[in-house]
C-alpha cells in the first residue's frame, strides 16, 4: 500500500481519468488479495486518515472551481468501488472469520434421517386405508381390563384370555377387575374407545404398539406393532370385509397376490377368519418361506360380534340412556388386525425381527 499522495496539476478530463484509473487499480490490487478487510477499510475510508479523505482534500484544494464537480463524481465512484469490494463474499467471509465464524468452511453435514422401517410400513398400510376413506385413531398402551378384554367379549376368567400372554401392571388387586391396568395386548381396545365416542358410520385404522409376555425369538418380540381396522355402518357384510382386505393386500404386495379366508376364532368377531395371501416369494408354488404350502397367514378378521355392540351400547347409555346407535339389528361391522413387523419382514425380506429394535445403523441405513 503506498500512502504517498501524488499532487494533481492538470484537471482536464483525460488527466482526471488517468489519476483515477491509477487509484482504481490500486484498490483492485488490494482487494484481489484481501486478508484483512478491516485494515483495508480503514486505509481507504478511515474518517480522519483514510486515503480517500486525504486525497480528495489535497486534490479538491488545488482544483479550479470548474473541475470540482468532475472530481467529486470520480471520488464517489471510487468510494463505491471500495465499498463493493468490502461487501463481496470473500471480504464478508474473511470478516466473519475475524469474528469467529468462517462461512467458507464446509458445514457440519447432518443426515436428515429416515423413518424407521416399521414406521414406514405402518404409514404404507395406513395410507392404503386412508385412500378407502378410513381415518386414524390412537389409544393408550397402558389399558384397562375393560377395554382390552371385557368389552371385547373376553369375560373375566374366560379361557380366551389365555391366548394373550398379558403383562399386567403391579398392585392393581384392590381395584374392581374392569379397572385393573395392563399393557394392551392388541390394538382392539381402541375399537371400543372409538365406538363409545362416535356413532356409526365408523371407518378407522388403529396403528400402535402392543405388549405380550412373549419370549423374543426370530419372529416374536414382547413389544410389537399392530394395525387394526374397524368399519361399522348399515349393511356391512362379510363380502365387504373380503373385498376390503383383498384390495389392501393387493395394494401392499402387488396385484398378483391372492387372498383366502380360513375359519378362525376371536371372542369379539363372529364369524372370524384368518387371512392368508399367496406366497409373495414363490408366487404360490411352494418354497421354504411358505413352508411349501404356497400361502402365508397374515391377519385376523371377522364380523363384529353383537356382544361387542352390546358392551358399547351399555357404556354409551351411561351418558345418554336412550342411545341406540349400536343396535346390532340395524348396523353391522367388520374388524381386522395385522402385525406390522410381519408385514415389514415380508416386504423387505428381513428374517429376524430383532433387527428392527437393535438400532444397528448398518441395518437401518439400508432403508435410506
Ligand atoms: N386383536 C386380534 C389379535 O391381536 C386381531 C384381530 C383384530 C382379529 C380384529 C380380528 C379382528 O390377535
Amino acid at each position: 500500500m503506498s500512502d504517498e499522495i501524488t499532487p494533481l496539476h492538470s484537471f482536464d478530463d483525460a488527466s482526471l481519468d488517468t489519476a483515477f484509473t491509477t487509484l482504481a487499480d490500486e484498490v483492485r490490487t488490494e482487494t484481489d488479495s484481501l486478508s484483512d478487510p478491516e485494515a483495508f477499510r480503514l486505509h481507504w475510508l478511515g474518517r480522519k486518515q483514510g486515503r480517500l479523505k486525504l486525497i480528495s482534500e489535497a486534490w479538491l484544494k488545488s482544483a479550479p472551481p470548474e473541475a470540482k464537480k468532475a472530481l467529486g463524481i470520480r471520488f464517489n465512484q471510487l468510494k463505491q468501488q471500495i465499498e463493493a469490494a468490502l461487501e463481496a463474499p470473500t471480504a464478508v467471509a474473511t470478516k466473519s472469520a475475524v469474528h469467529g465464524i468462517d462461512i467458507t468452511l464446509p458445514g457440519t453435514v447432518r443426515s436428515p434421517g429416515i423413518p424407521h422401517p416399521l414406521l414406514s410400513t405402518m404409514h404404507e398400510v395406513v395410507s392404503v386405508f386412508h385412500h378407502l376413506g378410513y381415518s386414524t385413531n390412537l389409544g393408550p398402551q397402558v389399558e384397562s381390563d375393560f377395554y382390552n378384554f371385557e368389552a371385547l367379549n373376553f369375560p373375566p376368567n374366560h379361557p380366551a384370555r389365555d391366548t394373550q400372554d398379558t403383562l399386567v401392571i403391579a398392585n392393581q388387586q384392590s381395584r374392581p377387575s374392569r379397572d385393573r391396568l395392563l399393557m394392551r395386548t392388541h390394538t382392539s381396545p381402541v375399537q371400543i374407545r372409538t365406538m363409545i365416542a362416535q356413532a356409526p358410520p365408523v371407518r378407522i385404522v388403529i396403528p400402535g404398539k402392543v405388549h405380550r409376555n412373549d419370549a423374543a425369538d426370530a419372529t416374536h418380540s414382547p413389544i410389537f406393532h399392530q394395525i387394526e381396522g374397524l368399519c361399522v355402518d348399515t349393511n356391512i357384510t362379510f363380502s365387504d370385509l373380503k373385498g376390503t382386505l383383498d384390495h389392501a393386500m393387493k395394494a401392499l404386495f402387488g396385484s398378483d397376490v391372492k387372498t383366502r379366508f380360513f375359519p378362525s376364532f376371536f371372542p369379539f368377531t363372529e364369524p372370524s377368519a384368518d387371512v392368508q395371501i399367496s406366497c409373495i416369494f414363490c408366487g404360490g408354488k411352494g418354497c421354504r418361506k411358505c413352508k411349501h404350502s404356497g400361502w402365508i397367514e397374515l391377519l385376523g378378521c371377522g364380523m363384529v360380534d353383537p356382544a361387542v355392540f352390546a358392551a358399547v351400547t351399555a357404556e354409551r347409555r351411561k351418558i345418554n340412556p336412550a342411545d341406540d346407535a349400536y343396535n346390532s339389528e340395524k348396523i353391522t361391522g367388520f374388524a381386522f388386525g395385522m402385525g406390522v413387523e410381519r408385514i415389514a419382514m415380508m416386504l423387505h425380506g428381513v428374517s429376524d425381527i430383532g433387527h428392527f429394535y437393535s438400532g444397528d445403523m448398518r441395518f437401518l441405513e439400508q432403508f435410506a
Side-chain angles (χ1 to χ4, degrees), residues 164 186 188 191 212 226 228 266 268-269 300-301 335-337:
Q164 315 228 338
H186 50 178
S188 307
Q191 289 186 30
R212 292 188 194 182
Q226 287 190 332
E228 186 98 5
F266 300 101
F268 42 95
T269 48
C301 66
F336 55 87

Side-chain angles (χ1 to χ4, degrees), residues 41 64 143 164 259 359:
R41 193 189 65 77
E143 192 47 286
Q164 315 228 338
T259 51

Side-chain angles (χ1 to χ4, degrees), residues 3 45 60 89 143 147 155 166 254 323:
D3 283 333
L45 302 180
L60 280 168
E143 192 47 286
Y147 288 112
T166 313
D323 182 83

